[in-house]
């Protein structure tokens, strides 16, 4: 995710939207919540050189909800 963010707007790497998308997709494949969210917003608004795609945005939002529903083994819940 860090490489994607830096490729998109950070000061440490050359800004390149296509490279950012590649890194966001790699992080999203590992269910990185921030990467999923950034890609969803990019597909909703047509950012990062992506064509707006509401279905893909919804698919990514669903993946975020699945991440939110997962709890690490042994995690205690607040009561």
């Amino acid at each position: 995710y860090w490489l994607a963010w830096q490729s998109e707007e950070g000061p440490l790497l050359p800004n390149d939207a296509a490279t950012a998308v590649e890194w966001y997709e790699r992080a999203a494949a590992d269910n990185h919540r921030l990467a999923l969210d950034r890609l969803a917003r990019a597909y909703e608004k047509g950012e990062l050189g992506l064509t707006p795609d509401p279905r893909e945005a919804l698919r990514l939002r669903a993946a975020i909800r699945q991440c939110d529903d997962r709890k690490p083994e042994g995690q205690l819940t607040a009561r």
Side-chain angles (χ1 to χ4, degrees):
Y1 174 82
W2 185 87
L3 289 170
W5 173 70
Q6 285 295 316
S7 295
E8 180 182 357
E9 60 184 53
L12 300 178
L13 294 175
N15 297 146
D16 181 346
T19 300
V21 169
E22 288 177 30
W23 284 113
Y24 281 128
E25 287 174 345
R26 290 176 83 172
D30 285 335
N31 294 312
H32 191 289
R33 192 183 190 294
L34 295 175
L36 290 164
D37 181 65
R38 181 62 187 109
L39 284 172
R41 285 186 290 118
Y43 277 110
E44 287 167 353
K45 298 177 182 181
E47 298 173 341
L48 298 175
L50 297 172
T51 301
D53 185 341
R55 285 186 180 194
E56 182 62 8
L58 286 174
R59 185 191 71 76
L60 292 163
R61 295 279 179 215
I64 292 169
R65 284 191 297 280
Q66 288 178 349
C67 289
D68 291 344
D69 290 343
R70 288 187 202 125
K71 294 178 186 163
E73 225 174 280
Q75 179 179 343
L76 299 177
T77 56
R79 293 184 194 230

